[in-house]
Amino acid sequence: MKKVAVYPGTFDPITFGHIDVIKKALKLFDKVIVAASDGTNKNYLFNSTERIEIIKKALFYDLKFNKKKIEVISFTSLTTDLCKKYKSNIILRGLRAVSDFEYEFQLANMNRALSPNIESIFLTPSEKFSYISSSLVREISSLGGYVTKFVPTNVADALLKKFK
């Protein structure tokens, strides 16, 4: 039986930190579902369709990841329901700093209360990516700064177009 991990997030936009977590997850799991949330309670820079396209280009075109090992989707459901749909008992989450832990711990416990057979696994990005966040990348780009050391080429291009 294949081991599948669901990696939910907004990915608005996807960064090298997210990608580093995906690389690490591919060493542990047969397949990773990169699930871009399309919840209504967020003010996204990129809409769901744009984010999915940007993620796919970053992973499969810029970085040449194996399409058989990664699936990129959007979702509006509970993450635990998404896990059930993809026959996964793993929710993958990235932790950049101690400040992320409290929220992620609370979320993991809530998900466990909803579905006791689903576990959250936390991976940390390499130190060189630990300070990168989508919100900082958006802010830098909105002010005309270069973000190519934080995101793949197509992501930087999409940000540049968005803020022109």
Side-chain angles (χ1 to χ4, degrees):
M1 184 173 180
K2 279 188 163 184
K3 267 307 215 190
V4 177
V6 172
Y7 184 24
T10 57
F11 306 105
D12 190 32
I14 192 166
T15 69
F16 284 135
H18 295 123
I19 291 164
D20 195 50
V21 168
I22 293 167
K23 281 182 189 176
K24 290 175 182 196
L26 289 171
K27 295 176 187 174
L28 302 171
F29 304 101
D30 299 309
K31 186 167 190 171
V32 175
I33 309 296
V34 178
S37 172
D38 198 20
T40 56
N41 60 343
K42 291 269 188 168
N43 186 15
Y44 299 108
L45 176 63
F46 295 102
N47 68 40
S48 176
T49 304
E50 291 171 321
R51 283 183 286 134
I52 295 302
E53 187 63 27
I54 290 167
I55 294 166
K56 285 180 177 180
K57 283 182 180 176
L59 297 178
F60 305 131
Y61 177 75
D62 288 345
L63 302 169
K64 310 289 191 239
F65 277 77
N66 184 343
K67 290 181 182 180
K68 293 178 183 173
K69 294 196 66 147
I70 300 172
E71 187 171 345
V72 180
I73 62 161
S74 67
F75 76 106
T76 56
S77 66
L78 290 170
T79 305
T80 51
D81 289 343
L82 189 65
C83 285
K84 291 171 190 170
K85 177 180 177 180
Y86 284 92
K87 296 176 176 46
S88 172
N89 65 343
I90 302 295
I91 297 172
L92 177 65
R93 298 294 290 169
L95 288 177
R96 290 172 303 200
V98 173
S99 57
D100 292 342
F101 181 76
E102 189 171 336
Y103 172 75
E104 293 296 341
F105 184 71
Q106 182 180 19
L107 193 58
N109 284 329
M110 183 60 75
N111 285 328
R112 187 178 298 117
L114 292 169
S115 288
N117 63 325
I118 296 175
E119 287 296 334
S120 294
I121 304 272
F122 302 101
L123 294 177
T124 57
S126 299
E127 190 176 298
K128 65 183 176 179
F129 303 123
S130 63
Y131 62 91
I132 301 172
S133 72
S134 294
S135 57
L136 287 175
V137 167
R138 287 191 310 268
E139 184 175 354
I140 292 165
S141 186
S142 74
L143 296 169
Y146 296 103
V147 294
T148 53
K149 64 166 89 170
F150 312 122
V151 297
T153 304
N154 92 80
V155 178
D157 291 346
L159 285 162
L160 189 62
K161 287 177 191 168
K162 191 61 94 168
F163 289 117
K164 266 190 170 180

